[in-house]
Amino acid sequence: MPALRKGRPAVAEISARGILFARGWSDRRFDVRFGGRRVWSMRSPEAPARGIGWPEGIRRHAHGRFEIDLVAAGDETPTWSGIVDFPGEGDGRLADAEGRPVVVNKWGRLVRSLVDDPEFQARLMTSLEAVIAVMRDLGQRPFITGGTLLGAVRSGAFLPHDDDADVGFLLEQSHPADVALETLKLQRELRERGFELRVHSRSHLQVLFADEAGDVDHYVDLFPGFTHEGLYCQPIAVRGPFEQDRLEPFVELELEGERMPSVADTAGWLELCYGPGWRTPDPSFRFETPPETRRRFENWFGVFNTNREFWDDAYADAPPPGARPAALPPLAAEVERLAPAGARIVDLGAGDGALARHFAARGAEVTAVEFSRTAIRAMRAADPDGRVETVEANLADGRDMLELAARLVRRPGPVVFVLSRLLAGLVPETRAEVFRLLRHGLEPGSFALADFGTELPPSYRHENPTSWHLPVDTLEDEARRAGLEVHVISQTAGRGGGRATATAMLRRAEQEAS
């Protein structure tokens, strides 16, 4: 591999689109500095590819003119320095809403880093100690893991550019169903202790800690560790040979001046997780979970976090509800035309609640269901009188859907479920959970109304679920398997740049027979 040296530039161009490397500089690690501060670490693409786009966080939040340096690993002299103009107006700094510096994390998002904020680091450490203490009190066997363990082994401190803490909990259970039940038990017990949780799957919990404004300040990730068919498993990415005597008895390591529990063979665990090069710091490291490991964990424990960050970002960047008149979809008129007198309205995927408030203003009893934290905050801010009942629930989580169904069936009277621009933006597994909710929640006289795109638009991007589509025949097949019938009310063709859409009613199949 060639070495960087004067007179042989590694970069052909850096622009608002990304970085174009010169030929011969594949698979090298670089730090990218904005205004002299390291913001992103990455590897140049493997040949023959030469270009790499900016990560999502920079694409969305870099506005205006920036001084950028590209620095090769192990070097302090930039191999490229220059000015890059990004779209929009900005002050040449990458910062959060409070002006605090941010970096790109391993998922490509902009987050605060521990190296830039000692007070943030102290709060994270306090929360980590609190979570471990409570888990011990609940009879669990917690231990630091992931990047938190890596930092403790390397330097006795958090990794400089980390933004969270990782905790595992060792289970005796070996069957995935039992692991899921134990994680669910922990989820319930932590909530009873007053902790706010985000459930990413049946094997990944996130304990959230908010600031005074109610925004998430930091979090602690929780992962179960268990042995299945002779292999140690620790979602979301670890699966391989690791014997019980390498797990226990736990040892104690120093982290930020405090003693923290760890598995017995720390070096062995770090190699299992990060590979044999774990001792060498590499901020550009990215997990590459083997496909068979990913399939197993996702099939065993589900995926409840699909597109959550997209919606969190969408509502964080949106103007406050009421700042401009809400453009209600045509589905609103269909609901008003077809809903029985006195029917309760349940708005699934309610977003900022504009549609829910519309129905509440007309005297309806309305429940708005949403899983995006920023959307829920916007919804509640726009409804200070609480005319809309707000329910935080994840449509992908079957347990959340069953609890919602139980809540609804306890109330008498017909229900109209509103699925406005929802179904096409869900993966099939999540639609199946929504249909299960409808199957339980649609009593005689109740129905669901949905509108959705039926063809891919020219603007389709996979990372944007609002551009996804759902053909009518696919909806009919999926609904039929769930015991539902679909009645198409209207369809529009995508002419003149418009989008092909459909509006449909869903009912329990046996209602027709009755």
Side-chain angles (χ1 to χ4, degrees), residues 169-246:
F169 53 103
L170 193 59
L171 299 179
E172 295 179 355
Q173 291 84 350
S174 61
H175 193 283
D178 294 324
V179 172
L181 288 172
E182 187 64 23
T183 305
L184 185 62
K185 174 174 173 284
L186 176 62
Q187 173 187 332
R188 182 180 64 251
E189 291 174 335
L190 287 174
R191 281 180 169 155
E192 289 173 351
R193 295 289 184 104
F195 289 96
E196 180 182 359
L197 298 183
R198 176 173 286 171
V199 181
H200 288 264
S201 75
R202 286 283 168 256
S203 63
H204 180 190
L205 305 179
Q206 203 169 66
V207 188
L208 306 181
F209 294 88
D211 59 20
E212 293 181 357
D215 297 322
V216 175
D217 181 68
H218 59 276
Y219 55 86
V220 177
D221 280 316
L222 306 181
F223 307 99
F226 61 99
T227 299
H228 177 73
E229 296 182 348
L231 296 179
Y232 177 72
C233 300
Q234 188 178 309
I236 51 178
V238 177
R239 179 174 176 268
F242 204 72
E243 296 75 17
Q244 189 67 29
D245 61 359
R246 302 172 70 187

Side-chain angles (χ1 to χ4, degrees), residues 345 354-366 383 387-389:
I345 305 296
L355 198 55
R357 291 191 300 277
H358 169 79
F359 295 129
R362 282 154 178 75
E365 180 185 345
V366 183
D383 183 32
R387 291 185 297 177
V388 174
E389 178 189 31

Side-chain angles (χ1 to χ4, degrees), residues 125-159:
M125 187 64 197
T126 298
S127 298
L128 172 61
E129 292 179 287
V131 169
I132 286 179
V134 168
M135 292 183 71
R136 283 172 165 165
D137 192 44
L138 293 172
Q140 299 290 346
R141 292 179 289 168
F143 57 95
I144 58 172
T145 188
T148 306
L149 176 61
L150 184 59
V153 171
R154 280 186 184 162
S155 64
F158 287 115
L159 294 176

Side-chain angles (χ1 to χ4, degrees), residues 419 423-424 431 434-435 438 449-454 469-482 484-488 502-506:
L419 286 61
L423 293 177
R431 279 199 299 272
V434 171
F435 294 151
L438 299 181
L449 288 173
D451 59 354
F452 49 95
T454 57
H469 77 301
L470 177 64
V472 171
D473 57 353
T474 301
L475 172 62
E476 290 173 337
D477 289 343
E478 292 179 355
R480 183 168 52 251
R481 289 196 294 270
L484 303 172
E485 288 184 344
V486 175
H487 303 268
V488 176
T503 299
M505 176 184 289
L506 292 86

Side-chain angles (χ1 to χ4, degrees), residues 5 23 42 57 63 114 132 142 145 165-166 177 204 217 231 245 254 277 282 296 366 375 379 431 461 478 495 511:
R5 56 182 180 271
R23 299 185 188 279
M42 40 73 71
H63 303 297
L114 300 173
I132 286 179
T145 188
D166 301 313
H204 180 190
D217 181 68
L231 296 179
D245 61 359
E254 183 171 308
D282 182 4
R296 277 181 172 84
V366 183
M379 191 188 313
R431 279 199 299 272
R461 290 187 300 116
E478 292 179 355
R495 297 192 182 97
Q511 287 181 229

